[in-house]
Amino acid sequence: FCMRVAPLWPPGWSALWVGLAAVSFAVTASGNDSQDSADPFDSLSSAVHVRGMTFVGSRESVNEFVVRAARGVFVPGTRLAHLQQVDVVAAEGLDGQDFAVRCDRGELNVETSDFFAEGNVRGSIADGRSYTAPWVRYDHEKALLFTDAPVVMHDSTGTFRGDGFRYFVHKRHFRLLGNVSLVQTP
């Protein structure tokens, strides 16, 4: 599994971004030699601030997800990138988008590929359903997108409220949780 930061090179990007991109590309370009055990992110001594960040999580030659953020701060030692104005698109394999999330703030663990989204969270899943919630979390190892916060879900049959949801990415199965009700429109 490799993670890389794919730079978008708008005018005015700082040397820090160039340095982070170079470190990141060094992580993905390395082969299976004795230098692989040294993590280039460990050499960063302070937080790195970036604008216009694009982060691509991939396995072999398949991009599993893309995270775009207007601004971000990578905190070495924690493996966390704190992001603002975030868009995430995830796709398992080559058969299209599995889910998308848009939020005001997010946190990406660059080691585990887990993320947390909060603030005006809205998203969609592969079958076209959309939702809004205060926060969602993605557990990469379990391939599970979820929230335990109140959620509003829209599909072709109507609008529903629930106390949370689970979206099992590999099965493409969405389940509303607790106190599910149909929202009646006047």
Side-chain angles (χ1 to χ4, degrees):
F1 187 75
C2 75
M3 304 292 286
R4 66 186 183 275
V5 176
L8 301 175
W9 297 107
W13 273 37
S14 71
L16 283 175
W17 171 241
V18 174
L20 178 60
V23 166
S24 178
F25 286 119
V27 169
T28 60
S30 63
N32 289 330
D33 59 24
S34 61
Q35 293 178 349
D36 283 345
S37 62
D39 187 340
F41 287 111
D42 289 338
S43 66
L44 298 173
S45 60
S46 62
V48 177
H49 298 262
V50 295
R51 290 188 182 275
M53 184 187 97
T54 298
F55 190 93
V56 178
S58 61
R59 189 180 316 261
E60 297 171 4
S61 64
V62 177
N63 290 343
E64 290 186 330
F65 66 90
V66 177
V67 178
R68 289 185 174 85
R71 291 178 301 287
V73 178
F74 176 73
V75 182
T78 66
R79 299 291 196 246
L80 297 178
H82 302 280
L83 310 171
Q84 294 182 354
Q85 297 174 340
V86 185
D87 288 300
V88 179
V89 176
E92 288 290 322
L94 302 172
D95 59 347
Q97 175 181 309
D98 279 325
F99 68 85
V101 177
R102 176 172 276 185
C103 64
D104 295 336
R105 296 170 304 284
E107 185 176 273
L108 172 68
N109 184 313
V110 298
E111 186 173 338
T112 65
S113 301
D114 295 344
F115 72 83
F116 176 73
E118 68 179 341
N120 196 27
V121 176
R122 55 244 178 257
S124 60
I125 60 172
D127 67 5
R129 286 185 250 190
S130 63
Y131 64 86
T132 58
W135 64 267
V136 297
R137 185 173 299 276
Y138 178 66
D139 183 316
H140 180 74
E141 185 175 320
K142 295 178 182 175
L144 177 65
L145 181 71
F146 69 95
T147 187
D148 292 324
V151 62
V152 176
M153 187 271 301
H154 308 276
D155 70 11
S156 62
T157 63
T159 301
F160 301 86
R161 293 186 189 277
D163 291 340
F165 74 80
R166 300 290 183 269
Y167 180 59
F168 302 90
V169 175
H170 294 307
K171 295 178 183 177
R172 290 188 170 175
H173 176 73
F174 185 91
R175 185 177 68 195
L176 277 175
L177 303 176
N179 298 313
V180 175
S181 62
L182 174 65
V183 176
Q184 301 266 334
T185 54

